Amino acid sequence: MASEDSEELTVTSEVHHFSKEEVIDGSSGDMSTISQVSQQIDKSQEVEDEDLFECILGANGQVVLWSAKRETVLSRFDFVYPSYMTTCEGSKIMKAVADADGDLQVTRKNNLHKKEGVVLIEQYLFFSKEREHQSATTLDLVGEQVWRGALFLADFILHHPEIFKNANILELASGVGLTSIVAGMLAKKVVITDVDRGDILTLIDRNVERNREIMKAEILVKEIDFYDHATIDENFESLKDISVIMAADTIYHNQLTDQFFRTILRLMCEPPNKTMYVALEKRFVFTIEDMDTVAPCYDYFLDRIEWLRCQNLSTINWTIEEVPIDFKQYFIYEKTRHLVLWKIAAELK
């Protein structure tokens, strides 16, 4: 069990693992796929520096674009459009195909030419999950990756348009912005937030511009720092009509989890009534103390859930529950049994 879970920690998506040395020189690789990536980038007229990227081939056969200057990669995240989306900003979108069990037939990497939709995301390359325990500095890079929880939450969004269509949405700790971009396909407004450290907000801006044509929502990129609620006050005008909040893979450090829940409490005390969706993946480790493989960060998350249930009961009716994860999969990633989704609703009295 320990070795299986350890392996799962290193597999975040089929597009994340590749070797920089496997540079495509035109004599090998899937050139039709390279062409698709290049054509997609050509459509990003407002992103002026795409010439910084060169094509490289991933370990799983995916083609990505690498920027030596930024030490970032530009990755394709392919997905199947839900059947209720028959058109998207002039693109020819086919209806999703279901198998005998009613599950979507998600196109695999050997059929890239059949993909129905693509989200292009720039993210940092040099980061391993194991390093986050070695130095506090590396924790700053966690949000600048796409983790499975973000793709999992993106699936939930596409599967439940009745929640997100024409809604005003806030994403906390959005990282590179993939989940918000997917929400932008349905929502009226999406406020994408993270702590203003390094160039993360600039990175989000670039990713938004790359994917403008698949979104209909107004997009705002702002700072919200869990440790500084003055950033909430500064963005009052942008946040005053938010009814849906979401967050993905923000639970990996207990002190940050404390501040995350204090931020949730602060936001959900303000009208209008809000519903929040928190997606995460249980991270398992083997401890001598327990002599077992455990998920301490998730256990602490559950403790903070109970803390939240007891807060401001005179002014808020809380509804907090785990959401079934049997919704359809639209993105290509390993949907493991360790992915969980929680719903937190606050009804103001």
Side-chain angles (χ1 to χ4, degrees):
M1 176 67 72
S3 61
E4 178 184 349
D5 291 328
S6 176
E7 180 182 355
E8 288 182 356
L9 285 178
T10 64
V11 182
T12 56
S13 162
E14 292 190 12
V15 299
H16 292 161
H17 301 287
F18 47 83
S19 167
K20 180 184 173 186
E21 280 64 46
E22 295 180 274
V23 178
I24 297 176
D25 60 6
S27 61
S28 63
D30 185 344
M31 298 310 295
S32 64
T33 303
I34 297 172
S35 176
Q36 289 177 31
V37 176
S38 300
Q39 289 174 13
Q40 193 75 13
I41 291 191
D42 288 343
K43 296 177 183 178
S44 305
Q45 299 298 324
E46 297 186 43
V47 183
E48 299 176 352
D49 53 359
E50 301 299 3
D51 57 345
L52 292 172
F53 293 90
E54 60 179 313
C55 288
I56 64 175
L57 179 63
N60 291 316
Q62 288 276 9
V63 174
V64 295
L65 297 179
W66 152 255
S67 168
K69 179 178 180 180
R70 291 178 179 159
E71 295 188 346
T72 61
V73 292
L74 190 59
S75 302
R76 289 172 56 104
F77 289 86
D78 299 277
F79 66 95
V80 174
Y81 275 93
S83 58
Y84 60 83
M85 288 186 178
T86 56
T87 60
C88 184
E89 297 296 328
S91 301
K92 294 181 179 179
I93 304 303
M94 297 170 58
K95 288 189 176 182
V97 178
D99 61 20
D101 297 322
D103 296 323
L104 285 182
Q105 295 179 357
V106 179
T107 310
R108 296 301 167 189
K109 62 187 178 186
N110 60 341
N111 288 317
L112 287 175
H113 62 286
K114 295 182 180 179
K115 301 293 185 178
E116 295 189 32
V118 174
V119 177
L120 286 175
I121 294 292
E122 183 181 354
Q123 56 189 320
Y124 280 90
L125 169 61
F126 296 116
F127 179 81
S128 64
K129 196 67 178 171
E130 290 77 10
R131 287 174 54 199
E132 74 178 45
H133 301 293
Q134 299 175 11
S135 167
T137 303
T138 60
L139 283 171
D140 296 344
L141 299 178
V142 172
E144 298 178 14
Q145 298 279 309
V146 174
W147 301 100
R148 268 191 294 248
L151 295 163
F152 180 60
L153 184 54
D155 279 343
F156 181 77
I157 292 168
L158 292 178
H159 193 72
H160 287 284
E162 74 279 3
I163 297 172
F164 299 93
K165 188 174 182 180
N166 296 324
N168 294 315
I169 299 172
L170 164 67
E171 184 178 14
L172 298 173
S174 60
V176 291
L178 182 143
T179 308
S180 284
I181 288 167
V182 174
M185 295 165 62
L186 294 168
K188 178 181 179 181
K189 179 177 79 172
V190 181
V191 183
I192 313 177
T193 69
D194 211 315
V195 60
D196 188 7
R197 182 178 297 130
D199 69 343
I200 186 62
L201 298 185
T202 302
L203 188 68
I204 294 170
D205 278 325
R206 291 200 297 266
N207 284 331
V208 167
E209 293 306 322
R210 289 187 180 97
N211 296 281
R212 280 283 183 189
E213 70 172 22
I214 68 170
M215 295 183 291
K216 62 169 241 178
E218 175 190 8
I219 304 293
L220 302 175
V221 179
K222 302 289 184 179
E223 180 185 23
I224 287 186
D225 185 346
F226 298 163
Y227 289 86
D228 182 7
H229 286 184
T231 55
I232 298 175
D233 298 329
E234 292 165 3
N235 292 300
F236 172 78
E237 285 300 316
S238 300
L239 302 176
K240 65 182 181 181
D241 56 357
I242 294 296
S243 61
V244 176
I245 306 175
M246 58 187 189
D249 269 331
T250 58
I251 308 302
Y252 50 85
H253 185 275
N254 288 351
Q255 185 179 12
L256 184 62
T257 301
D258 281 333
Q259 299 305 318
F260 172 63
F261 273 93
R262 293 185 184 281
T263 301
I264 293 174
L265 179 61
R266 166 66 193 278
L267 290 167
M268 300 191 89
C269 283
E270 302 290 337
N273 294 337
K274 297 177 178 63
T275 302
M276 180 168 190
Y277 296 92
V278 183
L280 63 147
E281 183 173 2
K282 300 176 187 177
R283 308 292 181 184
F284 286 89
V285 295
F286 182 85
T287 67
I288 298 298
E289 179 182 358
D290 297 290
M291 291 302 292
D292 197 2
T293 302
V294 295
C297 290
Y298 183 66
D299 291 340
Y300 193 74
F301 169 82
L302 295 179
D303 178 79
R304 295 296 85 193
I305 284 279
E306 295 309 312
W307 172 84
L308 187 64
R309 287 186 197 272
C310 301
Q311 303 305 306
N312 295 23
L313 295 182
S314 62
T315 57
I316 298 178
N317 286 326
W318 295 102
T319 302
I320 303 177
E321 58 188 356
E322 190 171 353
V323 177
I325 66 168
D326 56 352
F327 46 87
K328 292 178 181 179
Q329 182 173 346
Y330 299 85
F331 279 84
I332 299 175
Y333 65 101
E334 185 182 5
K335 189 174 178 180
T336 77
R337 67 186 184 280
H338 302 313
L339 288 162
V340 295
L341 181 63
W342 283 82
K343 175 183 176 180
I344 303 171
E347 181 183 2
L348 302 179
K349 297 180 180 179

